[in-house]
Amino acid sequence: MDFDLTPEQQALRQLARDFAQKEIAPVAALYDEREEFPLPVYQKLGEIGILGMVFPEQYGGGGADLVSLAVVTEELSVVDVPVGVSESVNGMVGSIITFFGNQQQKDQWLPPLAKGRMLCSFGLTEPGAGSDAMAISTRASLEDGQWVINGTKCFITHAGTPISGLIIIAVVTGESKSRKELSCIIVPKGTPGYNIGAPYRKVGWRSSDTRELSFLDCRVPEENLIGKRGKGFHQFMAVLDWGRIGIGAVAVGLARGCLDQSLKYAQQRVQFGVPISKHQAIQFKLAEMATNVEAARLMVLRAAHLQTLGRPFGKEASMAKLFASEIAVRAAEEGVQIHGGYGYIEEYPIARYYRNSKILTIGEGTSEVQKMIIARQLGC
Ligand SMILES: Cc1cc2nc3c(=O)[nH]c(=O)nc-3n(C[C@H](O)[C@H](O)[C@H](O)COP(=O)(O)OP(=O)(O)OC[C@H]3O[C@@H](n4cnc5c(N)ncnc54)[C@H](O)[C@@H]3O)c2cc1C
């Protein structure tokens, strides 16, 4: 077994690590406080090729694999989770076009995505359909060569930023044998009838753009359908597996950030005449955090590696996402505990990590949903 990254993956990790330290760390708290999307950070991420790294080289992307994406996502998330999330979600959503799109869609959308000049979003969740994806009710009807879309999507990541270019939405396009026919359709930003709501005020991920979207007689050409009509469920399930690896990597990054912050603090904070890192109770917390980070990273990278080999990886992706997100929440909680009262004060980064952690066990499928998927694969 070879646990080493390739030279290319190591170079990408170094690039992301340096970028995170130089360009993200100095501004992360500021954008969080202002609840503002850090546009200059994304523009630079696009310029150095990170935003477009997983897109095919023939469209101007980096042609990197999912292991590389996981490694880079972890590095960005050590410093600032919302940046890691958007980078990973963008790669995942764009890959729907890479895997399932037609030539015209690839020619139109992949070059700007690959060059990092544009972000794309994915709209599955609705007010009445969260964990139960089949409950979606946003409908697209074919009229005179156009899809007419009506419905509402909620909690959509980075659909309303200045560089958001398109959203791929899951819609109902019909019924057959009392089963809903689900399809995925591209809706370019600016299409009449596609309305982007105000950003939510969130507990964490405050610099991440999250909005409700509504579609009111929104018309797009028939050719904006991705792949075959009725294949939407298969398409979004495939990318959700990929997305779970991304969120798993975000969670590893957050847990590692908590460990770094907590170790540094514990070595400086003196109580009872010694740095608190000399107290065994604190050492045990740090040791557990470090062990969990290693285990979660191995699970995330293994799932990503299986995907690059073209082998089934859905169960492993769910396991990795489940474990990594749960240990990330625990690392943030223990990190605050190690910081004592100062951990509850916003001047200390651990407070931001704490606020950013909880959604990791909810987004991209809750922990309960991951357990349902794993149990199903076990044959239950
Ligand atoms: C910041 C943020 C960003 C997001 N970004 C996106 C995005 O870009 N695109 C997108 O489509 N969505 C996005 N989401 C939505 C996210 O994926 C959903 O919130 C998530 O899937 C859970 O759905 P829900 O919130 O409706 O919870 P519900 O499905 O209502 O679940 C509520 C609780 O019930 C539990 N539950 C539900 N069904 C079962 C069951 N059968 N058995 C046991 N327990 C069950 C759940 O685990 C959970 O604990 C985002 C959400 C947030 C907050």
Side-chain angles (χ1 to χ4, degrees):
M1 264 195 205
D2 185 359
F3 287 102
D4 279 338
L5 298 175
T6 64
E8 292 77 24
Q9 289 162 347
Q10 288 179 35
L12 275 169
R13 181 176 62 183
Q14 196 57 50
L15 178 72
R17 190 172 287 175
D18 292 344
F19 183 87
Q21 287 306 327
K22 279 194 207 124
E23 305 286 348
I24 309 178
V27 296
L30 189 75
Y31 281 103
D32 174 81
E33 193 185 325
R34 290 190 197 150
E35 303 195 20
E36 182 184 332
F37 179 79
L39 182 60
V41 168
Y42 286 92
Q43 285 168 330
K44 286 181 198 158
L45 270 178
E47 284 161 21
I48 64 168
I50 283 187
L51 275 188
M53 61 183 264
V54 290
F55 295 102
E57 283 170 292
Q58 69 190 103
Y59 296 100
D65 62 10
L66 193 46
V67 172
S68 308
L69 185 86
V71 165
V72 165
T73 302
E74 176 186 329
E75 292 303 326
L76 301 178
S77 306
V78 169
V79 170
D80 194 33
V81 158
V83 175
V85 168
S86 263
E87 172 263 346
S88 142
V89 167
N90 194 56
M92 168 194 94
V93 181
S95 296
I96 303 180
I97 299 178
T98 306
F99 296 149
F100 306 110
N102 61 32
Q103 196 56 51
Q104 186 270 326
Q105 289 163 350
K106 290 180 186 178
D107 290 341
Q108 180 176 1
W109 297 111
L110 290 182
L113 289 169
K115 287 284 166 219
R117 292 195 298 265
M118 185 185 275
L119 288 175
C120 53
S121 305
F122 183 59
L124 175 61
T125 309
E126 299 182 4
S131 302
D132 183 5
M134 286 302 286
I136 63 168
S137 61
T138 296
R139 191 164 274 277
S141 324
L142 206 48
E143 286 177 22
D144 304 325
Q146 290 186 318
W147 291 107
V148 183
I149 307 167
N150 283 287
T152 303
K153 296 287 176 186
C154 61
F155 299 137
I156 307 304
T157 297
H158 67 219
T161 78
I163 53 170
S164 304
L166 71 146
I167 181 162
I168 296 174
I169 52 169
V171 290
V172 182
T173 45
E175 271 92 22
S176 60
K177 292 184 195 147
S178 76
R179 260 185 89 82
K180 280 180 188 166
E181 176 193 87
L182 302 186
S183 305
C184 288
I185 293 182
I186 297 174
V187 183
K189 192 175 169 194
T191 305
Y194 169 22
N195 305 306
I196 299 177
Y200 294 96
R201 294 204 54 226
K202 304 189 292 291
V203 171
W205 290 22
R206 288 184 177 168
S207 62
S208 178
D209 178 83
T210 321
R211 299 173 190 249
E212 183 172 285
L213 312 174
S214 66
F215 300 86
L216 188 64
D217 288 332
C218 171
R219 288 171 181 269
V220 295
E222 186 176 355
E223 301 76 53
N224 283 23
L225 178 76
I226 295 188
K228 286 206 175 86
R229 182 172 172 164
K231 292 290 177 194
F233 187 76
H234 162 72
Q235 292 166 356
F236 64 70
M237 282 301 155
V239 295
L240 284 178
D241 283 344
W242 161 302
R244 283 170 189 144
I245 292 173
I247 294 297
V250 168
V252 174
L254 181 134
R256 203 179 109 200
C258 292
L259 174 62
D260 292 351
Q261 296 292 333
S262 304
L263 180 60
K264 195 168 75 183
Y265 184 82
Q267 287 168 334
Q268 287 163 1
R269 174 68 173 168
V270 173
Q271 285 295 281
F272 297 96
V274 290
I276 59 170
S277 63
K278 295 290 175 202
H279 299 306
Q280 198 179 49
I282 301 294
Q283 292 174 357
F284 281 9
K285 288 185 196 299
L286 293 166
E288 194 178 305
M289 281 158 88
T291 307
N292 283 338
V293 167
E294 287 290 324
R297 182 188 295 119
L298 285 175
M299 291 178 79
V300 167
L301 293 183
R302 171 146 191 278
H305 184 57
L306 287 174
Q307 190 275 347
T308 62
L309 293 177
R311 295 192 3 215
F313 68 101
K315 182 181 73 183
E316 288 75 10
S318 281
M319 286 174 163
K321 195 269 176 183
L322 171 66
F323 184 75
S325 60
E326 294 285 343
I327 69 105
V329 171
R330 200 149 79 233
E333 210 175 86
E334 292 289 48
V336 170
Q337 195 69 18
I338 290 170
H339 281 69
Y342 297 97
Y344 209 63
I345 306 296
E346 287 287 352
E347 274 100 290
Y348 285 81
I350 196 73
R352 179 164 49 89
Y353 286 70
Y354 183 65
R355 287 190 285 99
N356 283 342
S357 66
K358 186 55 204 161
I359 184 61
L360 294 170
T361 65
I362 297 170
E364 216 70 46
T366 63
S367 289
E368 291 77 11
V369 165
Q370 304 310 326
K371 287 176 191 171
M372 283 157 61
I373 294 169
I374 297 162
R376 206 179 302 136
Q377 299 247 2
L378 294 176
C380 295

